[in-house]
Amino acid sequence: MSVSMRDLDPAFQGAGQKAGIEVWRIENFSPTPIPKSSIGKFFTGDSYIVLKTTALKTGALRHDIHYWLGKDTSQDEAGTAAVKTVELDAALGGRAVQYREVQGHETEKFLSYFKPCIIPQEGGVASGFKHVEAEEHVTRLFVCRGKHVVHVKEVAFARSSLTHDDIYILDTKSKIFQFNGSNSSIQERAKALEVVQYIKDTYHDGTCEVATVEDGRLMADADSGEFWGFFGGFAPLPRKTANDEDKTYTSDVKKLFCVEKGQANPVEGDSLKREMLDTSKCYILDCGLEVFVWMGRTTSLDDRKTASGAAEEMIRSSERPQTQMIRIIEGFETVPFRSKFDTWTQVTNTTVSEDGRGRVAALLQRQGVNVRGLMKAAPPKEEIQAFIDCTGNLQVWRVEGQQKILLQAADHSKFYSGDCYVFQYSYPGEEKEEVLIGTWFGKQSVEEERASAVSMASKMVESMKFVPAQARIYEGREPVQFFVIMQSFIVFKGGISSGYKKYIAEKEVDDDTYSENGLALFRIQGTGPENMQAIQVDPVASSLNSSYCYILHKDSSVFTWTGNLATSTDQELVERQLDLIKPNLQTRAQKEGSESEQFWELLGGKTEYSSQKLTKEPESDPHLFSCTFSKEILKVTEIYNFTQDDLMTEDIFIVDCHSEIFVWVGQEVVPKNKLQALTIGEKFIEKDSLLEKLSPEAPIYVIMEGGEPSFFTRFFTSWDSSKSAMHGNSFQRKLKIVKNGGTPVAEKPKRRTPASYGGRASVPDKSQQRSRSMSFSPDRVRVRGRSPAFNALAATFESQNARNLSTPPPVVRKLYPRSVTPDSSKLAPKSSAIASRSALFEQQLKTPPQEPLIPKSLKASPKTPESPAPGSNSNGKEEKKENGKEEKSMSSRIESLTIQEDAKEGVEDEEDLPSYPYERLKTTSPDPVSDIDVTRREAYLSSEEFKEKFGMTKEAFYKLPKWKQNKFKMAVQLF
């Protein structure tokens, strides 16, 4: 579409450059900007153009244009508004969706801009009317309709206006009454109260009284008597009679017309297909209550204006005042429009529109207009945030048939692709202890165990009175919250459950379950120490990727492979994962392009492999849907520009951000429907209301009202947890807020500490809670290389009733900061554990360490201390006292040992090594030194040159943790 400056009204210059709402009123057939203070005020005799600009996560700006026609506006003004809307779209680059709004029949999207409602005032600019506040208050009666947004209309102040089906607001001088028709819903009554609050604040300065009257209550209370007194006393309400405005126009017939020379000609065809639309023409699709105008990309501005006029005439001649007209541009079709077609193939190249947008912007720039907002913004570089505390208490079970087996702490993050797992994670939330219970399905897991896992997780949630959030996660689709909970996550091939073994036996396929001494290749990925994964892949060269690092092992041979596109963070993660997968073994570093023959032999030969980094489903802008689920049929309604107040406690809602699905369940939802929440999420994915091709394996969360975690509330501009702490249904809660001056009244304690499913207490300490971070911080890392023996001892010392806080004390840090909840019958007494482990550590401390070239952590002792025979009651107190002393002594020994281990992390042998110049030792040297240990290049520097390059002595350097040493070495090209 060619655009010249004469086609663009000067009033639209600079419009749509930033997020927000802009409004123009048609005055003398020209658009005039409305000041911000007057936005939301409409007069019945005027026509308006409303532009809503939304900033998307991609950095682009989306525009929706509405032209609103008052019931008393002239036909000429209405026509001007329609034409000027097309011009505004051209000024914005020809990509906006345009809506025709008629007073009393506005779209929900339009009303959502002006929550809680719009109340048009009489008059208009054409009649010279100027709104002046009346000295005397005029009693008015309004009818309210709508469950999600409210249509407000002033009706005659008479008893005959009242019906049983609707909600009415009587605005008197000293009191506002809300009359609830007996057939109205709780949600409609709650939404109408928002209108009451608006009237109270706007016309009464927030000082008048508020009262509610229930239909059918007769003269039961003083408020009812006062209300009916305004109508001359109580009398039965008449049966509602249908009028023209109440008529509904429905049509299942879809008719397509092609607009040529101002005439709408029918397009013949048995069904609607995308191929029927020509890019050089404009079309009208009549669907009864909706009339769409589709404008081809290459059509002229005059063609688009003509097509809009033909659609206006079609609606006017058929006397359909409720019909909405939506105008869309090729390539930017809305979901409702595309859903009308039997087949729709998106073939439009949107980059053409980008070019058109650029031409318009350049045109305006020559006129001195700031066009920064008209050009597409670059996507912001957003750091991945988990929005969950990473210092909680984790318990993990592996599903075995209809049972679940509790895993030891060291195995919490080691999953098999052929198995299913259930996990429970308790962590400190913003105001109370939060609990997340979830299931993880491996790609090779069997359906029976998946169903068993969901059943067990649901029972755990139900047993805790539906307080915890619930998650359903598939391998390969894990959200960042899951990775942060698991921290060092490893996925092995195969499985160890009986269900998996039975499956591969029946299918007669090879069992590729991971073997510690077998051939295995792991891809290392993640963002840091608290979010890193090792995924076992097929041990072939084609599994490699230049953007990652890998660990390859067979028997005692261990290789690390670094792709040319891998980052320094990736290389640090390899070091950490080595301590978990293959500790205490010498590794051979391989750099892409300089691999050894043995490396390729283990992979079966060198082949082509990818260099493209693996991408996950991106998170899109969130959409909120209200859900009704009956007889296995799910119906959804989108709620636009949503806020927390749109969540009604009687209903179920879904937040869809494409990569994840959140099912929010209100407290007043019946228990039967609460149990179906996960099913509703699955049905929503199948329905795919936004036609976005949702993955059936997308993570699903079930969030209960009152237990909303931060990774859910982040989708709302503001969140007030005290609103869910109120008793009653939506109407009762809103009524308390209105009568309390707009402030929620909490009626139960904010802090709630749910009991753990395993019977453990989960009571966070306030002082410790404040110090916890809600996301990964690069300055707060865990030191790798803690010996498994130490972890076993630390787990034994963990009190069964004490919550393990993994926020490390000064100096002392743990790789596995969380404890497990073992069966109490299998727990050995502390005194036995202390004695046994004490002997073990004393023996280790006396024995001189024999370190390999690359120091690794100590191996765990496989033995478990046996429980001694219980002592007599006579010496119970003495034994308890002795145990206390021994425990204290052992605690000090543990701390001492921990400090030694941290120091030992980087200690190198103090052997006499020859010195070489830095220029020959660095990895890019043209004349490299041979016959040296390439993993310790820095050790061959002279003391003077070492201090010059590293800014410290060798002694100070080797006291640093290994990951930090590597970072320094990479900076000076010695890694």
Side-chain angles (χ1 to χ4, degrees):
M1 179 184 70
S2 59
V3 181
S4 63
M5 284 305 297
R6 65 181 178 84
D7 295 322
L8 303 177
D9 196 291
F12 296 142
Q13 290 190 0
Q17 296 190 35
K18 59 182 181 180
I21 296 176
E22 298 169 80
V23 182
W24 296 263
R25 181 167 61 185
I26 303 300
E27 299 179 7
N28 298 323
F29 307 105
S30 296
T32 301
I34 294 293
K36 287 186 177 181
S37 59
S38 298
I39 290 178
K41 295 180 180 179
F42 295 87
F43 291 94
T44 60
D46 290 332
S47 297
Y48 296 81
I49 297 175
V50 177
L51 169 63
K52 170 66 173 177
T53 304
T54 306
L56 304 178
K57 288 181 73 69
T58 59
L61 296 175
R62 186 189 69 211
H63 298 104
D64 292 286
I65 309 174
H66 306 253
Y67 62 100
W68 185 89
L69 309 177
K71 65 182 179 65
D72 299 323
T73 191
S74 67
Q75 189 169 336
D76 288 340
E77 279 192 351
T80 301
V83 170
K84 291 298 180 181
T85 299
V86 178
E87 292 183 15
L88 176 57
D89 171 55
L92 295 171
R95 61 170 58 196
V97 181
Q98 306 157 44
Y99 302 83
R100 174 181 179 266
E101 308 285 353
V102 178
Q103 180 182 343
H105 305 289
E106 295 89 351
T107 62
E108 291 197 355
K109 174 174 276 192
F110 178 79
L111 291 176
S112 72
Y113 304 153
F114 309 102
K115 288 180 179 179
C117 64
I118 60 171
I119 302 179
Q121 303 175 44
E122 294 295 325
V125 66
S127 60
F129 174 82
K130 292 186 177 179
H131 182 65
V132 178
E133 291 291 341
E135 294 182 4
E136 290 294 328
H137 186 277
V138 178
T139 300
R140 298 183 294 174
L141 182 66
F142 301 94
V143 61
C144 300
R145 297 179 179 127
K147 182 178 176 181
H148 305 301
V149 292
V150 188
H151 289 82
V152 180
K153 177 187 175 185
E154 186 174 354
V155 295
F157 177 30
R159 181 190 289 107
S160 59
S161 298
L162 304 175
T163 69
H164 298 293
D165 298 324
D166 296 318
I167 297 167
Y168 296 83
I169 296 175
L170 179 63
D171 179 21
T172 70
K173 185 176 182 179
S174 59
K175 186 180 285 190
I176 303 174
F177 297 87
Q178 176 171 316
F179 175 80
N180 298 322
S182 56
N183 297 332
S184 62
S185 69
I186 292 174
Q187 295 92 328
E188 289 174 317
R189 298 177 186 186
K191 277 295 175 185
L193 277 173
E194 295 180 6
V195 180
V196 170
Q197 183 71 52
Y198 171 78
I199 294 174
K200 178 181 176 180
D201 294 339
T202 306
Y203 301 106
H204 298 271
D205 296 325
T207 58
C208 69
E209 294 183 52
V210 172
T212 59
V213 178
E214 297 299 323
D215 182 16
R217 191 172 288 182
L218 302 180
M219 307 289 287
D221 55 63
D223 289 333
S224 295
E226 188 178 355
F227 172 79
W228 288 113
F230 285 99
F231 297 93
F234 174 79
L237 296 182
R239 180 174 296 179
K240 184 178 181 180
T241 57
N243 54 37
D244 290 340
E245 291 190 357
D246 293 328
K247 292 179 182 177
T248 57
Y249 302 86
T250 58
S251 174
D252 295 330
V253 179
K254 295 171 288 189
K255 299 177 182 178
L256 184 64
F257 301 86
C258 179
V259 181
E260 295 180 308
K261 298 180 180 180
Q263 298 296 317
N265 303 315
V267 177
E268 302 297 331
D270 297 332
S271 61
L272 291 177
K273 299 179 180 179
R274 168 66 179 85
E275 292 73 19
M276 299 170 72
L277 304 177
D278 188 340
T279 188
S280 63
K281 297 179 181 179
C282 293
Y283 295 82
I284 297 174
L285 179 60
D286 187 356
C287 301
L289 280 175
E290 295 175 311
V291 171
F292 296 91
V293 180
W294 184 89
M295 296 171 280
R297 192 194 313 125
T298 61
T299 55
S300 66
L301 192 60
D302 289 337
D303 290 339
R304 298 181 182 186
K305 291 179 180 179
T306 302
S308 298
E312 290 269 7
E313 180 59 32
M314 183 180 292
I315 294 173
R316 192 180 303 112
S317 61
S318 58
E319 298 182 351
R320 292 180 287 175
Q322 290 183 332
T323 296
Q324 300 166 354
M325 185 174 78
I326 301 108
R327 301 189 298 220
I328 51 184
I329 309 297
E330 179 184 5
F332 300 94
E333 295 85 356
T334 61
V335 171
F337 178 79
R338 285 185 281 142
S339 65
K340 306 295 182 185
F341 287 74
D342 297 319
T343 59
W344 184 274
T345 305
Q346 194 75 17
V347 296
T348 309
N349 185 0
T350 57
T351 57
V352 177
S353 292
E354 290 290 346
D355 295 340
R357 185 182 180 85
R359 286 197 296 271
V360 173
L363 201 62
L364 295 176
Q365 194 171 28
R366 287 197 294 272
Q367 302 297 320
V369 178
N370 179 10
V371 297
R372 181 185 57 186
L374 292 180
M375 298 304 293
K376 182 177 179 181
K381 292 184 178 180
E382 184 179 9
E383 289 187 8
I384 300 175
Q385 296 187 53
F387 295 96
I388 191 170
D389 193 288
C390 62
T391 63
N393 185 33
L394 177 66
Q395 298 177 76
V396 182
W397 296 264
R398 180 175 56 79
V399 176
E400 181 64 47
Q402 299 300 315
Q403 305 295 323
K404 62 182 190 293
I405 300 174
L406 183 65
L407 301 185
Q408 295 300 313
D411 297 327
H412 276 175
S413 302
K414 297 177 180 178
F415 287 17
Y416 285 86
S417 187
D419 296 338
C420 295
Y421 296 82
V422 178
F423 65 89
Q424 176 178 313
Y425 184 61
S426 305
Y427 62 99
E430 292 182 353
E431 294 182 343
K432 61 182 182 296
E433 185 83 353
E434 305 283 3
V435 181
L436 175 63
I437 294 175
T439 55
W440 184 89
F441 303 149
K443 290 181 179 179
Q444 300 171 284
S445 60
V446 296
E447 193 60 42
E448 293 80 3
E449 290 190 340
R450 292 182 181 184
S452 180
V454 170
S455 175
M456 286 186 282
S458 299
K459 287 178 181 177
M460 292 168 67
V461 172
E462 187 178 1
S463 70
M464 297 172 69
K465 299 181 179 179
F466 295 102
V467 171
Q470 185 175 352
R472 187 212 68 176
I473 299 170
Y474 280 87
E475 179 188 350
R477 296 277 179 174
E478 297 92 348
V480 65
Q481 292 93 316
F482 177 82
F483 284 148
V484 167
I485 290 171
M486 294 297 170
Q487 297 184 2
S488 303
F489 187 56
I490 303 175
V491 179
F492 297 116
K493 278 182 167 292
I496 56 178
S497 69
S498 58
Y500 172 76
K501 298 300 184 184
K502 180 181 177 183
Y503 171 80
I504 61 173
E506 291 175 351
K507 297 294 182 180
E508 297 182 350
V509 296
D510 294 335
D511 186 355
D512 59 353
T513 301
Y514 172 75
S515 171
E516 188 176 344
N517 296 320
L519 177 63
L521 178 66
F522 292 88
R523 182 180 69 247
I524 310 302
Q525 59 193 38
T527 60
E530 294 181 353
N531 175 11
M532 58 180 180
Q533 303 88 47
I535 312 299
Q536 188 179 357
V537 295
D538 292 333
V540 292
S542 58
S543 296
L544 298 176
N545 187 311
S546 301
S547 296
Y548 296 93
C549 295
Y550 290 78
I551 296 174
L552 173 67
H553 75 72
K554 184 177 183 182
D555 298 326
S556 59
S557 299
V558 183
F559 293 86
T560 60
W561 185 86
T562 304
N564 289 331
L565 302 179
T567 65
S568 59
T569 300
D570 295 327
Q571 297 175 32
E572 289 181 28
L573 298 185
V574 167
E575 289 292 321
R576 295 175 179 273
Q577 291 288 14
L578 273 173
D579 281 343
L580 301 175
I581 297 173
K582 277 291 182 181
N584 302 330
L585 288 178
Q586 173 70 47
T587 60
R588 296 174 60 184
Q590 306 285 304
K591 185 71 176 175
E592 182 178 5
S594 59
E595 299 88 348
S596 65
E597 291 185 7
Q598 186 184 357
F599 176 81
W600 291 122
E601 286 176 3
L602 289 176
L603 293 179
K606 188 175 181 179
T607 59
E608 294 288 329
Y609 52 83
S610 176
S611 61
Q612 190 73 27
K613 199 172 185 68
L614 302 177
T615 57
K616 290 198 171 186
E617 291 284 353
E619 182 177 283
S620 65
D621 294 278
H623 295 260
L624 180 68
F625 295 86
S626 172
C627 304
T628 55
F629 187 61
S630 178
K631 298 179 180 179
E632 297 298 315
I633 298 176
L634 177 66
K635 295 181 180 178
V636 299
T637 302
E638 184 168 4
I639 300 173
Y640 302 98
N641 298 291
F642 61 86
T643 64
Q644 181 185 358
D645 289 333
D646 290 311
L647 301 176
M648 298 288 186
T649 188
E650 299 80 17
D651 292 333
I652 294 177
F653 294 82
I654 287 180
V655 174
D656 172 13
C657 63
H658 185 70
S659 60
E660 297 170 280
I661 303 297
F662 298 82
V663 183
W664 183 90
V665 183
Q667 292 176 358
E668 297 295 315
V669 173
V670 297
K672 177 185 175 183
N673 291 342
K674 286 182 180 180
L675 294 172
Q676 292 180 315
L678 192 58
T679 302
I680 290 174
E682 293 171 343
K683 291 285 185 182
F684 179 83
I685 290 177
E686 292 176 12
K687 191 178 183 69
D688 196 12
S689 299
L690 296 176
L691 304 180
E692 55 183 327
K693 297 181 180 178
L694 287 173
S695 168
E697 296 182 353
I700 299 177
Y701 295 91
V702 177
I703 310 294
M704 297 296 170
E705 182 184 11
E708 295 89 352
S710 297
F711 57 82
F712 173 79
T713 59
R714 67 190 175 96
F715 296 114
F716 297 79
T717 52
S718 62
W719 188 268
D720 186 353
S721 58
S722 63
K723 290 183 178 180
S724 60
M726 299 177 68
H727 291 310
N729 58 37
S730 298
F731 171 69
Q732 292 167 338
R733 295 181 185 184
K734 283 278 174 66
L735 183 60
K736 291 172 185 173
I737 293 175
V738 170
K739 289 190 173 183
N740 195 48
T743 306
V745 183
E747 296 174 324
K748 56 184 177 182
K750 284 185 180 181
R751 297 188 65 84
R752 177 174 62 251
T753 306
S756 167
Y757 184 76
R760 297 184 50 170
S762 305
V763 184
D765 180 77
K766 286 185 179 179
S767 63
Q768 290 166 326
Q769 184 176 349
R770 293 192 196 98
S771 66
R772 295 186 179 96
S773 61
M774 291 302 296
S775 59
F776 166 68
S777 169
D779 298 326
R780 181 174 167 275
V781 297
R782 287 182 172 83
V783 179
R784 68 176 182 84
R786 186 69 59 244
S787 75
F790 177 86
N791 290 299
L793 179 59
T796 307
F797 272 99
E798 192 65 42
S799 171
Q800 192 174 3
N801 292 319
R803 185 182 177 281
N804 182 17
L805 301 176
S806 65
T807 303
V811 182
V812 183
R813 294 186 177 183
K814 302 179 184 179
L815 179 62
Y816 301 107
R818 299 172 297 242
S819 65
V820 70
T821 308
D823 191 326
S824 59
S825 64
K826 298 177 182 178
L827 263 179
K830 286 185 180 178
S831 57
S832 174
I834 293 169
S836 176
R837 295 299 177 186
S838 176
L840 171 65
F841 277 100
E842 286 174 359
Q843 182 181 359
Q844 289 178 345
L845 288 172
K846 290 176 182 178
T847 306
Q850 296 180 356
E851 296 188 26
L853 290 176
I854 299 181
K856 299 292 178 180
S857 57
L858 298 172
K859 286 195 174 181
S861 172
K863 297 181 181 180
T864 304
E866 297 179 0
S867 302
S872 62
N873 294 333
S874 61
N875 62 352
K877 293 183 179 179
E878 184 179 345
E879 183 179 338
K880 185 176 181 181
K881 186 177 181 181
E882 187 177 334
N883 286 346
K885 290 181 179 178
E886 192 172 353
E887 218 174 304
K888 186 176 180 181
S889 173
M890 195 58 201
S891 177
S892 301
R893 186 178 291 127
I894 291 172
E895 184 170 343
S896 174
L897 181 63
T898 305
I899 297 171
Q900 290 178 33
E901 283 203 351
D902 278 336
K904 186 179 174 183
E905 186 77 36
V907 172
E908 301 291 340
D909 294 332
E910 295 297 331
E911 57 202 324
D912 293 328
L913 295 176
S915 296
Y916 296 100
Y918 166 75
E919 293 300 326
R920 295 192 62 194
L921 288 171
K922 64 180 184 180
T923 55
T924 57
S925 172
D927 181 26
V929 181
S930 58
D931 298 327
I932 64 169
D933 181 359
V934 294
T935 65
R936 298 183 56 206
R937 294 176 186 269
E938 79 289 347
Y940 297 92
L941 287 171
S942 65
S943 299
E944 294 76 14
E945 201 165 16
F946 187 97
K947 192 168 184 179
E948 177 189 344
K949 296 297 180 184
F950 289 93
M952 67 185 80
T953 64
K954 288 186 179 182
E955 183 181 2
F957 176 79
Y958 289 128
K959 287 181 180 179
L960 297 173
K962 193 70 175 180
W963 66 270
K964 206 162 189 177
Q965 293 180 26
N966 291 341
K967 202 165 187 177
F968 277 112
K969 287 159 67 174
M970 281 186 278
V972 294
Q973 299 180 340
L974 292 175
F975 183 77

